[in-house]
Amino acid sequence: MPQSLLVYALPDPLPENLAAQPDAPLPPAWLGLGAVLAPWPESAVAVRQFGADAPDRVVILGRAELLCAAWQAAAAVPTAVAAGAALPCAVSLVGPAPDAHTLAALLGLGLTGWWPDAVLASAESLAAALTVDRLRWAHDRAVRADLARLQTQIDERKWVDRAKGVLMSARGMGEDEAFRLLRGASMHAKLRVGEVSRSVIEAAQWADAINRAGQLRMLSQRLVKLAAQRMAGADARRARTLLDEAMDRAQDNLDRLDALLPKDAPEASTAALARAQRAWQGLRTDLQAALVNRRGVTVLGAVDQRAEALLDAAEALTEALEAAGARRALHIINLCGRQRMRVQRLAKDALLAALLHEPQRRVGLPALMDAFEAALRELGSAPLSSEDIRAGLAEAGEEWLRLLRGLRSSDDAESQALLAGSSDALLDIFDRLTAAYEHSLQVIMS
């Protein structure tokens, strides 16, 4: 049965008209108010204890300095209910006059009001004081609720504006059309427009993160491929420029991923990102050293091992991000993005097989080719499509046939040039396709 009034006596000299023992009967003036005397808790859980029996009011008897110290200790306990707004009822202090600093600290912690010992002289004066505090507490609670609603509206407005910006940028629609889309989705899902907008932003962030993690897979292979092109003299000047661009792109993607990952992201995602960052540092250091020292093709094998470490780390990162995003539509971005890595890996392994005179590197090419063609078929049959996506997939199919011609004989300069050009063309196509999937309404509104 809830008590209407709990009285706590701080372990300090008490007012003369209150019994010193917690189990002693209360004076008659208190009994008419339905008061129950409760012992002060020994551990730092006072804030929770105030509302343990769901009273209408709480009165604390004692010095303000003692209450302030005890209350601050309670607020510091991680499991304790937050002070202030979390208090379920009015909390009044009766005792010697506190100094201004202590009173301000107590009010900040949630104290409703302070009264001198004189209010204990009669039930009428005590009841009047507690009524004032209860009305003040109710007013403060209403103000807090109004402020909370206002803050929610402001926050929702920010989410809506950001979501409209995402839709306008990704789909080329106007502001009014973007808002109608958000409002329609909120009605369909029976959610607030702000909730839908926040989901849109989160979906866009996860899609961006998966795309960028997928780019790291591709770049791990592309960097070695371009280094091999440069050393083989297959359009070496262009390969040098593209190599610098690829290194900048890898670093930019890692920096952006670090910013995109939410602070509360699953540990698997943060650990995978840290692993990818370490792998990239190793690859970049070895690749830069190899190019500066001009040691030729002899170092490509070691550099390729570093690239494989980055590939494994980027693959794990992409899978972790897809799982954390918890949206089925994100899988298509991962699937399409992996095609970029495959075409770069095919070209890289074929070039290294010729440059390093290691024909065994061609052994894995058929399985890689089969995986590329299977993914191309899956993308073609996926319901997530558009006219631009279908045109891009058709273009990819035609360019794939040209790459296959370059793979048949990559030992001569002409085939190597064809292989390099076709793998770059496919990379560009799948970059555009991955971006198209990332910005599709099905992904954004998932």
Side-chain angles (χ1 to χ4, degrees):
M1 182 71 178
Q3 304 294 335
S4 61
L5 173 60
L6 285 182
V7 180
Y8 289 95
L10 281 166
D12 197 48
L14 301 175
E16 294 180 358
N17 57 346
L18 182 68
Q21 298 299 322
D23 56 354
L26 285 167
W30 291 86
L31 297 179
L33 300 176
V36 173
L37 185 61
W40 186 262
E42 296 180 0
S43 60
V45 292
V47 175
R48 286 184 297 169
Q49 189 66 28
F50 289 159
D53 295 313
D56 293 328
R57 294 161 293 181
V58 164
V59 174
I60 302 168
L61 301 166
R63 292 193 298 113
E65 294 78 7
L66 290 176
L67 175 61
C68 191
W71 208 336
Q72 287 173 338
V77 177
T79 57
V81 176
L87 294 181
C89 63
V91 178
S92 305
L93 172 66
V94 176
D99 61 73
H101 176 76
T102 302
L103 183 58
L106 286 170
L107 292 175
L109 288 166
L111 182 72
T112 311
W114 164 81
W115 298 93
D117 294 339
V119 300
L120 300 175
S122 68
E124 290 76 11
S125 60
L126 179 60
L130 298 184
T131 298
V132 169
D133 280 356
R134 181 169 177 79
L135 291 174
R136 182 186 296 126
W137 171 82
H139 176 266
D140 288 347
R141 184 177 64 171
V143 170
R144 290 176 187 271
D146 289 341
L147 289 175
R149 283 193 293 270
L150 180 60
Q151 187 60 55
T152 298
Q153 292 173 358
I154 293 173
D155 291 343
E156 286 194 351
R157 183 74 265 169
K158 291 178 181 178
W159 286 114
V160 170
D161 288 342
R162 290 179 60 189
K164 286 192 299 184
V166 167
L167 292 169
M168 292 165 64
S169 174
R171 305 304 303 164
M173 59 178 60
E175 183 176 359
D176 291 342
E177 184 181 359
F179 182 72
R180 284 195 297 271
L181 182 61
L182 291 171
R183 185 174 57 185
S186 71
M187 294 174 62
H188 177 76
K190 297 181 180 179
L191 296 170
R192 297 174 64 91
V193 177
E195 293 178 285
V196 172
S197 299
R198 182 166 185 167
S199 182
V200 166
I201 298 299
E202 290 174 349
Q205 289 175 335
W206 284 117
D208 187 14
I210 289 173
N211 186 0
R212 289 178 180 276
Q215 289 181 42
L216 290 176
R217 292 181 303 202
M218 173 272 295
L219 289 166
S220 71
Q221 306 303 296
R222 180 169 175 76
L223 287 165
V224 183
K225 186 206 81 166
L226 291 171
Q229 278 182 232
R230 180 176 169 181
M231 294 176 184
D235 202 357
R237 181 175 297 180
R238 182 169 180 270
R240 178 185 302 177
T241 300
L242 293 176
L243 186 59
D244 291 338
E245 292 176 356
M247 294 182 72
D248 290 341
R249 185 176 177 182
Q251 186 62 60
D252 178 67
N253 280 328
L254 281 165
D255 292 342
R256 182 60 180 155
L257 281 165
D258 192 42
L260 279 172
L261 215 58
K263 290 182 174 58
D264 59 348
E267 185 178 352
S269 299
T270 56
L273 177 57
R275 178 186 168 194
Q277 289 169 332
R278 291 192 299 270
W280 162 240
Q281 293 300 328
L283 174 57
R284 182 174 64 176
T285 299
D286 281 10
L287 187 56
Q288 287 175 332
L291 294 173
V292 170
N293 295 334
R294 301 181 180 279
R295 295 169 59 191
V297 297
T298 58
V299 299
L300 280 179
V303 171
D304 190 39
Q305 290 181 355
R306 291 285 196 180
E308 289 301 299
L310 177 57
L311 173 60
D312 291 342
E315 186 69 68
L317 174 59
T318 309
E319 296 299 327
L321 292 173
E322 182 181 337
R327 290 170 170 84
R328 287 183 298 175
L330 296 175
H331 170 70
I332 205 75
I333 300 173
N334 193 355
L335 178 68
C336 186
R338 190 178 283 112
Q339 295 290 74
R340 299 174 296 193
M341 178 274 293
R342 288 180 175 131
V343 295
Q344 297 301 295
R345 188 180 183 90
L346 281 165
K348 179 207 74 173
D349 284 347
L351 287 170
L352 290 183
L355 284 172
L356 301 179
H357 306 292
E358 295 178 355
Q360 68 272 18
R361 286 182 175 271
R362 300 184 66 92
V363 172
L365 297 186
L368 197 56
M369 293 158 62
D370 289 344
F372 179 91
E373 292 177 347
L376 197 60
R377 289 193 296 272
E378 185 176 350
L379 290 170
S381 61
L384 186 60
S385 187
S386 67
E387 184 176 344
D388 290 342
I389 288 175
R390 289 189 291 272
L393 291 174
E395 185 182 358
E398 295 174 2
E399 193 61 51
W400 172 244
L401 296 177
R402 282 190 282 274
L403 183 137
L404 291 178
R405 288 199 295 271
L407 282 173
R408 291 193 185 99
S409 176
S410 55
D411 294 333
D412 60 88
E414 183 179 352
S415 295
Q416 289 176 355
L418 176 60
L419 190 58
S422 188
S423 63
D424 281 353
L426 279 167
L427 171 59
D428 180 65
I429 293 169
F430 280 101
D431 258 342
R432 287 187 277 113
L433 280 170
T434 306
Y437 284 121
E438 179 187 342
H439 297 148
S440 67
L441 284 178
Q442 293 95 324
V443 169
I444 293 175
M445 302 299 294
S446 63

